[in-house]
């Protein structure tokens, strides 16, 4: 099986690349397991960069072809896996930079939300697009997005499935910086290298303290979201939304 997640180390910087460009780096279970495995190898990293292979996508979301037939129990397992990875990114001692090099939809947006810093290229488009598949964000989006960009902007994104261009994403505070596509790698590398040179325990403490802002109620919210998300599997609109995508036609919702 080809590696769908690669890791490259330079000094203290570990760069993790989701590598399924033919599917716009959509995350199936193999890729998620590979990502989880790769994260296990990053304990000594001083800074982590997460990005997608190719010029078009960071991660175009969870794999819709895989998800479309999931039962509620299977969806819950899939949600758990996605949540474990996002939690791992959020609680990793090292700062994580999401280098958003193109589409970041659904689970791709949620991976980026779990990072500490988000830098987007000008061609990036970001959205929690699950509504048009008959489901809701299931890897933390309903909890992390409003905390980051505020209630109204998050409701618009999640209810309407809005797809924000990079500049708009920066205006609402979803990404911290937008750079020309050709400059993304160098800008991210420069920041990651600088972070890797900072005192690691102080950086880890700063991250832990900043994360406390979201502690407490978020854990309950995340657990609630997992149950709600998986409960939508098996509904007409979930099947129809995902089948329509795979069959390249417009969905007919109930
Ligand atoms: N899951 C599975 N496959 C996906 C995917 C996903 N989330 N996103 C894209 N792909 C696949 C397409 O099926 C297509 O495969 P094919 O070449 O075998 O037909 C390939 O990636 C390229 O996508 P395509 O739609 O042809 O490219 P595009 O440039 O016309 O559109 C997007 C790109 C990202 C706008 C479009 O693919 C899209 O809307 N994807 C779904 C995004 C989404 O809703 N994600 C949330 C999932 S929870």
């Amino acid at each position: 099986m080809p590696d769908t997640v690669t890791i490259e180390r330079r000094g203290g910087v570990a760069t993790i690349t989701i590598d399924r460009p033919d599917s716009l780096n959509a995350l199936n279970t193999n890729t998620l397991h590979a990502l989880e495995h790769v994260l296990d190898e990053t304990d000594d990293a001083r800074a982590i960069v997460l990005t997608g292979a190719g010029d078009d996508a960071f991660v175009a979301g969870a794999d819709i072809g895989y998800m479309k037939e999931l039962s509620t129990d299977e969806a819950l397992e899939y949600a758990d896996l996605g949540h474990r990875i996002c939690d791992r990114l959020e609680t990793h001692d090292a700062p994580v930079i999401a280098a958003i090099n193109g589409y970041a939809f659904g689970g791709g947006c949620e991976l980026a939300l779990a990072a500490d810093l988000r830098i987007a290229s000008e061609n990036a488009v970001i959205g929690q697009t699950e509504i048009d598949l008959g489901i809701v964000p299931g890897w933390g989006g309903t909890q992390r997005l409003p905390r980051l960009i505020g209630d109204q902007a998050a409701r618009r994104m999640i209810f309407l499935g809005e797809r924000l261009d990079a500049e708009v994403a920066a205006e609402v505070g979803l990404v911290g910086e937008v750079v020309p596509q050709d400059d993304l790698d160098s800008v991210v590398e420069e920041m990651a290298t600088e972070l890797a040179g900072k005192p690691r325990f102080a950086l880890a403490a700063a991250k832990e303290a900043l994360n406390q802002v979201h502690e407490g109620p978020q854990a309950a919210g995340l657990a609630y979201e997992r149950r709600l998300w998986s409960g939508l599997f098996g509904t007409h609109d979930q099947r129809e939304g995902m089948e329509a995508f795979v069959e390249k036609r417009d969905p007919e919702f109930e």
Side-chain angles (χ1 to χ4, degrees), residues 71-73 75-76 225-235:
S71 66
T72 293
D73 286 347
L76 191 55
E225 180 199 83
R226 269 204 298 275
R227 284 199 301 279
L228 277 176
W229 187 79
S230 46
L232 290 169
F233 279 75
T235 62

Side-chain angles (χ1 to χ4, degrees), residues 11 51 68 86 162 187 195:
T51 194
K68 74 186 181 63
C86 289
E162 283 181 335
V187 169
L195 287 167

Side-chain angles (χ1 to χ4, degrees), residues 116-130:
D116 294 281
L117 297 157
R118 284 161 289 280
I119 303 180
S121 55
E122 282 169 347
N123 63 317
V125 188
I126 307 175
Q128 294 288 172
T129 51
E130 291 89 346

